[in-house]
Amino acid sequence: MIPKKQFTVLSETSRIRKALSLAISITVILLIIVSSAWYVGASQIPPNFPLETDVVISEGMTHREIGEHLENLGVVSSSFLFQTVLARDFAHEHVQAGTYHFTEPLDVRLVIDALVHGEYQTPLNKITFPEGFRVRDFSAQLLGTTSPETLDLVTQYEGRLFPDTYFVKKETTPEELVRVMLANYETRLAPIRERILESGFTEKEIIILASILEREANDETSMRMVSGVLHNRLSINMPLQVDAAFEYLLGKTSAELTASDLLIDSPYNTYTNAGLPPTPISNPGMKAIEAALNPERHSFLYYLTGNDGTFHYAKTFEEHKQNKARYLR
């Protein structure tokens, strides 16, 4: 026979277990109801679904970036839902880069199905702009003309014409292509703008610095190291002395520069002027922008590229001269 006191304890424990079980059941049911309601709501076709509008998916975009891009355009109501359905129902598929021209409103699953099978794509030309390209180097491809007037007009966007592979309609005008590239720049920069604000530099300054790194460095590691050197020089108001600025200004490589070139009166002369050039000298990609924003922390003030392409760094001018004698024979 169970003692009365022990029976009371068992009864109380049983009631607690039942209450806890009931609470859990209710919570699960509520979660199912809420998630179902959210899924149904988010699966609805957005009221501002963009018909007869070009929707550009660039090569290299992550699923998160694509989802956010589509949500901003009104193609899907939720970036999270887009990523969830893509991972669950299209796990082994890949979204195809291209320009999509939807002729009817689609729910999120049909949108993804169109993107992975290339449906609703328009006949396109493929145009690739590599990291570090300059407007004048690609003027014919970018502008469809080499006229100085048109080149001058678009040079104002140097640094913000995002390097990427673009799929554009054959009848796309240079102005339309520039708008697509600028929109791509906005999409890529949006996630890091808060970090730029916290960096102590303006966005323009970060892009100028990144444009230098694209022309001076040759991989992600050297970009961060060279960025550290340039940051160190900027912090003590020491001229950057980067030859890439002269390549932009004069069209000369480092080997072609003369002593008189280094004395030219220009705000792009990084030997006679401290600080950054007034504008970007190329169009940088995300690796260079990240390197400009996150330099390697060190105490080097000098660098050079050896004959084999390897970078060598120095803290003093004497060490730098020794590196020149050793690696630039």
Side-chain angles (χ1 to χ4, degrees):
M1 183 174 182
I2 301 176
K4 184 176 181 181
K5 184 176 181 182
Q6 185 176 351
F7 178 81
T8 302
V9 171
L10 290 174
S11 178
E12 184 66 24
T13 300
S14 178
R15 282 199 298 272
I16 292 174
R17 287 176 177 172
K18 288 181 179 179
L20 183 59
S21 177
L22 179 61
I24 292 173
S25 298
I26 292 174
T27 300
V28 170
I29 292 171
L30 288 174
L31 285 174
I32 291 173
I33 293 173
V34 170
S35 61
S36 297
W38 171 82
Y39 184 86
V40 170
S43 298
Q44 297 299 312
I45 298 173
N48 57 334
F49 191 97
L51 296 178
E52 306 299 335
T53 300
D54 288 341
V55 176
V56 180
I57 304 298
S58 300
E59 281 191 353
M61 291 180 73
T62 65
H63 289 167
R64 179 182 61 80
E65 290 172 337
I66 294 172
E68 291 174 351
H69 182 51
L70 295 178
E71 182 178 341
N72 290 335
L73 292 175
V75 178
V76 299
S77 56
S78 164
S79 172
F80 178 73
L81 178 65
F82 170 85
Q83 296 173 71
T84 301
V85 175
L86 182 61
R88 186 193 66 188
D89 299 340
F90 300 86
H92 303 294
E93 304 282 359
H94 299 284
V95 172
Q96 296 188 30
T99 299
Y100 293 82
H101 200 76
F102 295 106
T103 57
E104 58 182 325
L106 303 174
D107 64 30
V108 65
R109 197 179 189 289
L110 290 177
V111 166
I112 296 173
D113 190 69
L115 296 181
V116 300
H117 293 105
E119 298 173 5
Y120 296 95
Q121 283 201 37
T122 57
L124 305 171
N125 284 334
K126 180 179 179 180
I127 303 177
T128 298
F129 297 99
E131 288 83 356
F133 82 92
R134 296 170 301 189
V135 168
R136 69 165 170 260
D137 295 336
F138 283 77
S139 58
Q141 185 178 11
L142 175 66
L143 309 171
T145 176
T146 56
S147 72
E149 296 78 15
T150 308
L151 183 58
D152 288 342
L153 178 65
V154 79
T155 298
Q156 65 181 302
Y157 301 118
E158 192 95 77
R160 294 190 292 132
L161 300 175
F162 198 83
D164 208 336
T165 296
Y166 294 89
F167 296 86
V168 297
K169 292 181 287 188
K170 294 179 180 179
E171 62 272 20
T172 297
T173 65
E175 293 76 15
E176 289 171 337
L177 176 57
V178 167
R179 283 199 293 271
V180 169
M181 298 177 78
L182 292 173
N184 193 13
Y185 170 89
E186 292 297 323
T187 299
R188 299 303 185 94
L189 266 288
I192 65 170
R193 281 212 163 99
E194 186 172 344
R195 289 162 53 204
I196 292 176
L197 287 174
E198 296 169 353
S199 72
F201 291 85
T202 65
E203 183 173 317
K204 181 180 178 181
E205 289 170 336
I206 289 295
I207 297 302
I208 292 174
L209 186 53
S211 75
I212 295 173
L213 297 176
E214 281 288 10
R215 306 297 298 190
E216 288 280 317
N218 56 18
D219 60 24
E220 195 168 355
T221 299
S222 62
M223 281 181 183
R224 291 197 63 202
M225 287 294 294
V226 172
S227 180
V229 171
L230 300 184
H231 274 269
N232 290 343
R233 286 186 169 227
L234 288 170
S235 69
I236 60 174
N237 204 36
M238 180 180 182
L240 298 183
Q241 297 180 313
V242 289
D243 292 346
F246 290 95
E247 185 182 4
Y248 180 78
L249 180 63
L250 303 174
K252 290 185 176 182
T253 64
S254 296
E256 296 170 329
L257 290 175
T258 66
S260 60
D261 289 333
L262 302 184
L263 297 175
I264 189 171
D265 183 18
S266 169
Y268 290 90
N269 187 333
T270 56
Y271 278 72
T272 58
N273 299 295
L276 295 165
T279 68
I281 62 171
S282 74
N283 293 275
M286 285 308 302
K287 288 181 180 179
I289 295 172
E290 283 286 354
L293 197 53
N294 297 292
E296 191 70 34
R297 302 297 178 183
H298 54 62
S299 55
F300 297 121
L301 287 172
Y302 301 87
Y303 66 91
L304 60 81
T305 311
N307 292 330
D308 63 352
T310 302
F311 276 73
H312 304 278
Y313 305 90
K315 296 179 181 179
T316 67
F317 185 58
E318 284 302 315
E319 291 176 357
H320 184 56
K321 288 195 295 184
Q322 292 172 14
N323 284 342
K324 279 186 174 181
R326 186 177 304 161
Y327 301 112
L328 294 179
R329 292 177 182 176

